[in-house]
Amino acid sequence: MLNPLDAPAAVEAAAEPLGDLLDDLNHGVVVDLYPVVGVAASGRDDLAKLAQAVLDAGCRKDRFLSVLSVVEPARSWREVLRRDATGGGLMPWYRTIDRTPERIRRAGELADGIADLIESHLGPVRTAAEVAVIFEGLGALWTRQLLLVSDEWATILHLWAGD
């Protein structure tokens, strides 16, 4: 297993090609991770405490609001990421970018690679939940935050599309 604390930088680098593929003149895409924290201190099953611990470990002034829904089964978070990249909020549907089958296929491959990278750092995700976060920064057209929890580590996958 790779160093879990290196996961945010690794995901940021791996997400650049996805951003390049999906960005257009009026639409930017961000896929990144919040800091990684150990789950022992916060308790693996208390998702609100884990989400807050992840946010507290970062330098942003983002605030946790609530757990919106638990992703069942936990491995389905990968499908959420793939769907968001290929036809959901990250894939521009009203902009100048062509939604060709090749572009959609490539976006899915890149999303799958990001998911594999995350689990190579954290281990298999045992619990996943969509969480609501108020974050500082540019206005979003669309956003999703997925709390990802392995046996030992937790982080939040931040997906953002905006002008």
Side-chain angles (χ1 to χ4, degrees):
M1 187 166 81
L2 300 173
N3 185 344
L5 301 179
D6 293 338
V11 167
E12 183 179 342
E16 282 182 30
L18 182 61
D20 292 345
L21 180 69
L22 299 179
D23 287 351
D24 72 4
L25 296 175
N26 299 311
H27 181 269
V29 169
V30 173
V31 176
D32 63 0
L33 282 185
Y34 283 76
V36 174
V37 299
V39 298
S42 299
R44 187 172 136 66
D45 296 325
D46 192 334
L47 299 182
K49 281 186 180 178
L50 279 173
Q52 189 61 58
V54 170
L55 294 174
D56 289 347
C59 59
R60 302 177 190 174
K61 295 178 182 169
D62 302 347
R63 293 188 327 263
F64 170 74
L65 286 176
S66 66
V67 175
L68 298 176
S69 63
V70 175
V71 178
E72 294 289 348
R75 69 183 176 279
S76 295
W77 74 271
R78 294 169 149 274
E79 184 55 33
V80 171
L81 173 58
R82 181 180 244 290
R83 189 175 51 244
D84 287 345
T86 60
L90 294 176
M91 175 66 80
W93 50 273
Y94 61 91
R95 301 292 185 177
T96 59
I97 196 170
D98 290 329
R99 297 184 68 193
T100 64
E102 175 59 24
R103 185 180 298 272
I104 293 169
R105 182 194 62 76
R106 183 72 181 127
E109 289 173 352
L110 291 168
D112 291 343
I114 292 167
D116 290 343
L117 181 66
I118 291 169
E119 287 195 328
S120 72
H121 282 273
L122 303 181
V125 172
R126 305 287 186 209
T127 305
E130 185 170 2
V131 295
V133 174
I134 296 176
F135 55 92
E136 299 291 322
L138 302 173
L141 297 172
W142 177 89
T143 188
R144 183 186 311 271
Q145 285 72 233
L146 292 172
L147 175 67
L148 306 176
V149 184
S150 70
D151 286 337
E152 297 181 39
W153 305 100
T155 189
I156 295 174
L157 175 63
H158 175 71
L159 309 172
W160 181 93
D163 289 333

PDB file of all heavy atoms in Angstrom, residues 22-29 90 92-97 139-142 160-163:
ATOM      1  N   LEU A  22     -12.291  17.552 -19.661  1.00  0.00           N
ATOM      2  CA  LEU A  22     -13.652  18.046 -19.430  1.00  0.00           C
ATOM      3  C   LEU A  22     -13.774  19.565 -19.379  1.00  0.00           C
ATOM      4  O   LEU A  22     -14.869  20.089 -19.500  1.00  0.00           O
ATOM      5  CB  LEU A  22     -14.210  17.441 -18.136  1.00  0.00           C
ATOM      6  CG  LEU A  22     -14.312  15.920 -18.115  1.00  0.00           C
ATOM      7  CD1 LEU A  22     -14.864  15.447 -16.781  1.00  0.00           C
ATOM      8  CD2 LEU A  22     -15.140  15.396 -19.267  1.00  0.00           C
ATOM      9  N   ASP A  23     -12.669  20.263 -19.176  1.00  0.00           N
ATOM     10  CA  ASP A  23     -12.715  21.727 -19.177  1.00  0.00           C
ATOM     11  C   ASP A  23     -13.086  22.231 -20.568  1.00  0.00           C
ATOM     12  O   ASP A  23     -12.736  21.629 -21.574  1.00  0.00           O
ATOM     13  CB  ASP A  23     -11.354  22.324 -18.820  1.00  0.00           C
ATOM     14  CG  ASP A  23     -11.001  22.180 -17.358  1.00  0.00           C
ATOM     15  OD1 ASP A  23     -11.873  21.777 -16.564  1.00  0.00           O
ATOM     16  OD2 ASP A  23      -9.837  22.447 -17.007  1.00  0.00           O
ATOM     17  N   ASP A  24     -13.795  23.324 -20.621  1.00  0.00           N
ATOM     18  CA  ASP A  24     -13.968  24.039 -21.880  1.00  0.00           C
ATOM     19  C   ASP A  24     -13.864  25.529 -21.570  1.00  0.00           C
ATOM     20  O   ASP A  24     -13.438  25.918 -20.497  1.00  0.00           O
ATOM     21  CB  ASP A  24     -15.252  23.642 -22.609  1.00  0.00           C
ATOM     22  CG  ASP A  24     -16.526  24.171 -21.951  1.00  0.00           C
ATOM     23  OD1 ASP A  24     -16.439  24.915 -20.965  1.00  0.00           O
ATOM     24  OD2 ASP A  24     -17.609  23.845 -22.441  1.00  0.00           O
ATOM     25  N   LEU A  25     -14.252  26.367 -22.496  1.00  0.00           N
ATOM     26  CA  LEU A  25     -14.063  27.806 -22.334  1.00  0.00           C
ATOM     27  C   LEU A  25     -14.755  28.372 -21.102  1.00  0.00           C
ATOM     28  O   LEU A  25     -14.262  29.298 -20.478  1.00  0.00           O
ATOM     29  CB  LEU A  25     -14.559  28.540 -23.580  1.00  0.00           C
ATOM     30  CG  LEU A  25     -13.791  28.235 -24.859  1.00  0.00           C
ATOM     31  CD1 LEU A  25     -14.463  28.916 -26.039  1.00  0.00           C
ATOM     32  CD2 LEU A  25     -12.343  28.652 -24.733  1.00  0.00           C
ATOM     33  N   ASN A  26     -15.912  27.852 -20.757  1.00  0.00           N
ATOM     34  CA  ASN A  26     -16.705  28.414 -19.661  1.00  0.00           C
ATOM     35  C   ASN A  26     -16.926  27.437 -18.511  1.00  0.00           C
ATOM     36  O   ASN A  26     -17.767  27.673 -17.667  1.00  0.00           O
ATOM     37  CB  ASN A  26     -18.078  28.843 -20.187  1.00  0.00           C
ATOM     38  CG  ASN A  26     -17.958  29.890 -21.243  1.00  0.00           C
ATOM     39  OD1 ASN A  26     -17.253  30.867 -21.068  1.00  0.00           O
ATOM     40  ND2 ASN A  26     -18.620  29.686 -22.363  1.00  0.00           N
ATOM     41  N   HIS A  27     -16.194  26.356 -18.482  1.00  0.00           N
ATOM     42  CA  HIS A  27     -16.486  25.281 -17.547  1.00  0.00           C
ATOM     43  C   HIS A  27     -15.169  24.708 -17.048  1.00  0.00           C
ATOM     44  O   HIS A  27     -14.361  24.230 -17.844  1.00  0.00           O
ATOM     45  CB  HIS A  27     -17.288  24.206 -18.306  1.00  0.00           C
ATOM     46  CG  HIS A  27     -17.686  23.031 -17.490  1.00  0.00           C
ATOM     47  ND1 HIS A  27     -16.904  21.905 -17.382  1.00  0.00           N
ATOM     48  CD2 HIS A  27     -18.791  22.776 -16.763  1.00  0.00           C
ATOM     49  CE1 HIS A  27     -17.520  21.017 -16.629  1.00  0.00           C
ATOM     50  NE2 HIS A  27     -18.667  21.528 -16.243  1.00  0.00           N
ATOM     51  N   GLY A  28     -14.936  24.779 -15.748  1.00  0.00           N
ATOM     52  CA  GLY A  28     -13.739  24.192 -15.162  1.00  0.00           C
ATOM     53  C   GLY A  28     -14.116  23.022 -14.271  1.00  0.00           C
ATOM     54  O   GLY A  28     -15.195  22.992 -13.689  1.00  0.00           O
ATOM     55  N   VAL A  29     -13.224  22.051 -14.178  1.00  0.00           N
ATOM     56  CA  VAL A  29     -13.457  20.849 -13.383  1.00  0.00           C
ATOM     57  C   VAL A  29     -12.331  20.696 -12.371  1.00  0.00           C
ATOM     58  O   VAL A  29     -11.162  20.860 -12.713  1.00  0.00           O
ATOM     59  CB  VAL A  29     -13.516  19.601 -14.293  1.00  0.00           C
ATOM     60  CG1 VAL A  29     -13.480  18.317 -13.483  1.00  0.00           C
ATOM     61  CG2 VAL A  29     -14.762  19.642 -15.168  1.00  0.00           C
ATOM     62  N   LEU A  90     -19.698  16.531 -13.702  1.00  0.00           N
ATOM     63  CA  LEU A  90     -18.388  16.954 -14.209  1.00  0.00           C
ATOM     64  C   LEU A  90     -18.363  17.063 -15.727  1.00  0.00           C
ATOM     65  O   LEU A  90     -17.581  17.825 -16.279  1.00  0.00           O
ATOM     66  CB  LEU A  90     -17.297  15.968 -13.765  1.00  0.00           C
ATOM     67  CG  LEU A  90     -17.015  15.914 -12.275  1.00  0.00           C
ATOM     68  CD1 LEU A  90     -15.976  14.831 -11.981  1.00  0.00           C
ATOM     69  CD2 LEU A  90     -16.542  17.259 -11.751  1.00  0.00           C
ATOM     70  N   PRO A  92     -19.582  18.452 -18.956  1.00  0.00           N
ATOM     71  CA  PRO A  92     -20.427  19.564 -19.393  1.00  0.00           C
ATOM     72  C   PRO A  92     -21.475  19.077 -20.394  1.00  0.00           C
ATOM     73  O   PRO A  92     -21.155  18.372 -21.331  1.00  0.00           O
ATOM     74  CB  PRO A  92     -19.443  20.540 -20.036  1.00  0.00           C
ATOM     75  CG  PRO A  92     -18.215  19.771 -20.281  1.00  0.00           C
ATOM     76  CD  PRO A  92     -18.197  18.598 -19.362  1.00  0.00           C
ATOM     77  N   TRP A  93     -22.706  19.427 -20.142  1.00  0.00           N
ATOM     78  CA  TRP A  93     -23.777  18.979 -21.026  1.00  0.00           C
ATOM     79  C   TRP A  93     -24.419  20.123 -21.797  1.00  0.00           C
ATOM     80  O   TRP A  93     -25.235  19.895 -22.660  1.00  0.00           O
ATOM     81  CB  TRP A  93     -24.819  18.208 -20.243  1.00  0.00           C
ATOM     82  CG  TRP A  93     -25.285  18.908 -19.012  1.00  0.00           C
ATOM     83  CD1 TRP A  93     -24.716  18.861 -17.780  1.00  0.00           C
ATOM     84  CD2 TRP A  93     -26.403  19.769 -18.885  1.00  0.00           C
ATOM     85  NE1 TRP A  93     -25.394  19.643 -16.894  1.00  0.00           N
ATOM     86  CE2 TRP A  93     -26.456  20.210 -17.553  1.00  0.00           C
ATOM     87  CE3 TRP A  93     -27.392  20.220 -19.759  1.00  0.00           C
ATOM     88  CZ2 TRP A  93     -27.439  21.072 -17.093  1.00  0.00           C
ATOM     89  CZ3 TRP A  93     -28.362  21.069 -19.282  1.00  0.00           C
ATOM     90  CH2 TRP A  93     -28.382  21.483 -17.965  1.00  0.00           C
ATOM     91  N   TYR A  94     -24.071  21.328 -21.493  1.00  0.00           N
ATOM     92  CA  TYR A  94     -24.656  22.454 -22.218  1.00  0.00           C
ATOM     93  C   TYR A  94     -23.597  23.418 -22.716  1.00  0.00           C
ATOM     94  O   TYR A  94     -23.893  24.520 -23.138  1.00  0.00           O
ATOM     95  CB  TYR A  94     -25.655  23.199 -21.335  1.00  0.00           C
ATOM     96  CG  TYR A  94     -25.041  23.784 -20.087  1.00  0.00           C
ATOM     97  CD1 TYR A  94     -24.538  25.074 -20.075  1.00  0.00           C
ATOM     98  CD2 TYR A  94     -24.963  23.041 -18.930  1.00  0.00           C
ATOM     99  CE1 TYR A  94     -23.962  25.604 -18.937  1.00  0.00           C
ATOM    100  CE2 TYR A  94     -24.402  23.563 -17.790  1.00  0.00           C
ATOM    101  CZ  TYR A  94     -23.909  24.842 -17.804  1.00  0.00           C
ATOM    102  OH  TYR A  94     -23.346  25.356 -16.673  1.00  0.00           O
ATOM    103  N   ARG A  95     -22.347  23.010 -22.696  1.00  0.00           N
ATOM    104  CA  ARG A  95     -21.251  23.881 -23.090  1.00  0.00           C
ATOM    105  C   ARG A  95     -20.734  23.510 -24.476  1.00  0.00           C
ATOM    106  O   ARG A  95     -21.306  22.688 -25.176  1.00  0.00           O
ATOM    107  CB  ARG A  95     -20.113  23.794 -22.060  1.00  0.00           C
ATOM    108  CG  ARG A  95     -20.534  24.173 -20.652  1.00  0.00           C
ATOM    109  CD  ARG A  95     -20.859  25.627 -20.571  1.00  0.00           C
ATOM    110  NE  ARG A  95     -21.135  25.974 -19.183  1.00  0.00           N
ATOM    111  CZ  ARG A  95     -21.387  27.179 -18.788  1.00  0.00           C
ATOM    112  NH1 ARG A  95     -21.393  28.173 -19.615  1.00  0.00           N
ATOM    113  NH2 ARG A  95     -21.640  27.424 -17.538  1.00  0.00           N
ATOM    114  N   THR A  96     -19.610  24.065 -24.834  1.00  0.00           N
ATOM    115  CA  THR A  96     -19.070  23.882 -26.175  1.00  0.00           C
ATOM    116  C   THR A  96     -18.346  22.563 -26.381  1.00  0.00           C
ATOM    117  O   THR A  96     -18.003  22.223 -27.503  1.00  0.00           O
ATOM    118  CB  THR A  96     -18.082  25.025 -26.503  1.00  0.00           C
ATOM    119  OG1 THR A  96     -17.026  25.012 -25.534  1.00  0.00           O
ATOM    120  CG2 THR A  96     -18.789  26.360 -26.495  1.00  0.00           C
ATOM    121  N   ILE A  97     -18.106  21.808 -25.349  1.00  0.00           N
ATOM    122  CA  ILE A  97     -17.379  20.554 -25.470  1.00  0.00           C
ATOM    123  C   ILE A  97     -18.256  19.498 -26.143  1.00  0.00           C
ATOM    124  O   ILE A  97     -19.458  19.421 -25.891  1.00  0.00           O
ATOM    125  CB  ILE A  97     -16.905  20.086 -24.081  1.00  0.00           C
ATOM    126  CG1 ILE A  97     -15.840  19.029 -24.174  1.00  0.00           C
ATOM    127  CG2 ILE A  97     -18.045  19.598 -23.248  1.00  0.00           C
ATOM    128  CD1 ILE A  97     -15.173  18.724 -22.849  1.00  0.00           C
ATOM    129  N   GLY A 139     -17.626  30.082  -7.059  1.00  0.00           N
ATOM    130  CA  GLY A 139     -18.965  29.527  -7.126  1.00  0.00           C
ATOM    131  C   GLY A 139     -19.017  28.296  -8.003  1.00  0.00           C
ATOM    132  O   GLY A 139     -18.378  28.227  -9.038  1.00  0.00           O
ATOM    133  N   ALA A 140     -19.772  27.333  -7.566  1.00  0.00           N
ATOM    134  CA  ALA A 140     -19.886  26.080  -8.302  1.00  0.00           C
ATOM    135  C   ALA A 140     -21.211  26.028  -9.042  1.00  0.00           C
ATOM    136  O   ALA A 140     -22.236  26.482  -8.542  1.00  0.00           O
ATOM    137  CB  ALA A 140     -19.785  24.908  -7.354  1.00  0.00           C
ATOM    138  N   LEU A 141     -21.171  25.454 -10.231  1.00  0.00           N
ATOM    139  CA  LEU A 141     -22.396  25.087 -10.921  1.00  0.00           C
ATOM    140  C   LEU A 141     -22.916  23.760 -10.386  1.00  0.00           C
ATOM    141  O   LEU A 141     -24.102  23.498 -10.347  1.00  0.00           O
ATOM    142  CB  LEU A 141     -22.143  24.952 -12.428  1.00  0.00           C
ATOM    143  CG  LEU A 141     -21.708  26.217 -13.151  1.00  0.00           C
ATOM    144  CD1 LEU A 141     -21.310  25.892 -14.576  1.00  0.00           C
ATOM    145  CD2 LEU A 141     -22.837  27.235 -13.126  1.00  0.00           C
ATOM    146  N   TRP A 142     -21.948  22.923  -9.968  1.00  0.00           N
ATOM    147  CA  TRP A 142     -22.267  21.592  -9.456  1.00  0.00           C
ATOM    148  C   TRP A 142     -21.122  21.140  -8.559  1.00  0.00           C
ATOM    149  O   TRP A 142     -19.961  21.440  -8.821  1.00  0.00           O
ATOM    150  CB  TRP A 142     -22.425  20.629 -10.636  1.00  0.00           C
ATOM    151  CG  TRP A 142     -22.679  19.231 -10.227  1.00  0.00           C
ATOM    152  CD1 TRP A 142     -23.900  18.661 -10.006  1.00  0.00           C
ATOM    153  CD2 TRP A 142     -21.719  18.216  -9.960  1.00  0.00           C
ATOM    154  NE1 TRP A 142     -23.734  17.357  -9.611  1.00  0.00           N
ATOM    155  CE2 TRP A 142     -22.395  17.054  -9.585  1.00  0.00           C
ATOM    156  CE3 TRP A 142     -20.327  18.180 -10.004  1.00  0.00           C
ATOM    157  CZ2 TRP A 142     -21.751  15.877  -9.253  1.00  0.00           C
ATOM    158  CZ3 TRP A 142     -19.680  17.008  -9.669  1.00  0.00           C
ATOM    159  CH2 TRP A 142     -20.399  15.869  -9.306  1.00  0.00           C
ATOM    160  N   TRP A 160     -15.957  19.104  -8.351  1.00  0.00           N
ATOM    161  CA  TRP A 160     -16.448  20.475  -8.520  1.00  0.00           C
ATOM    162  C   TRP A 160     -16.461  20.827  -9.998  1.00  0.00           C
ATOM    163  O   TRP A 160     -15.505  20.527 -10.723  1.00  0.00           O
ATOM    164  CB  TRP A 160     -15.539  21.420  -7.763  1.00  0.00           C
ATOM    165  CG  TRP A 160     -15.891  22.858  -7.811  1.00  0.00           C
ATOM    166  CD1 TRP A 160     -16.660  23.538  -6.911  1.00  0.00           C
ATOM    167  CD2 TRP A 160     -15.475  23.840  -8.784  1.00  0.00           C
ATOM    168  NE1 TRP A 160     -16.740  24.868  -7.274  1.00  0.00           N
ATOM    169  CE2 TRP A 160     -16.012  25.067  -8.430  1.00  0.00           C
ATOM    170  CE3 TRP A 160     -14.695  23.762  -9.928  1.00  0.00           C
ATOM    171  CZ2 TRP A 160     -15.818  26.223  -9.169  1.00  0.00           C
ATOM    172  CZ3 TRP A 160     -14.493  24.913 -10.678  1.00  0.00           C
ATOM    173  CH2 TRP A 160     -15.056  26.129 -10.281  1.00  0.00           C
ATOM    174  N   ALA A 161     -17.522  21.460 -10.439  1.00  0.00           N
ATOM    175  CA  ALA A 161     -17.583  22.018 -11.782  1.00  0.00           C
ATOM    176  C   ALA A 161     -18.165  23.420 -11.665  1.00  0.00           C
ATOM    177  O   ALA A 161     -19.147  23.648 -10.956  1.00  0.00           O
ATOM    178  CB  ALA A 161     -18.467  21.173 -12.695  1.00  0.00           C
ATOM    179  N   GLY A 162     -17.530  24.365 -12.320  1.00  0.00           N
ATOM    180  CA  GLY A 162     -17.999  25.735 -12.219  1.00  0.00           C
ATOM    181  C   GLY A 162     -17.419  26.615 -13.305  1.00  0.00           C
ATOM    182  O   GLY A 162     -16.620  26.185 -14.125  1.00  0.00           O
ATOM    183  N   ASP A 163     -17.878  27.832 -13.280  1.00  0.00           N
ATOM    184  CA  ASP A 163     -17.403  28.830 -14.256  1.00  0.00           C
ATOM    185  C   ASP A 163     -16.195  29.549 -13.723  1.00  0.00           C
ATOM    186  O   ASP A 163     -15.961  29.684 -12.588  1.00  0.00           O
ATOM    187  CB  ASP A 163     -18.501  29.846 -14.534  1.00  0.00           C
ATOM    188  CG  ASP A 163     -19.628  29.249 -15.347  1.00  0.00           C
ATOM    189  OD1 ASP A 163     -19.371  28.303 -16.095  1.00  0.00           O
ATOM    190  OD2 ASP A 163     -20.755  29.744 -15.225  1.00  0.00           O
TER     191      ASP A 163
END
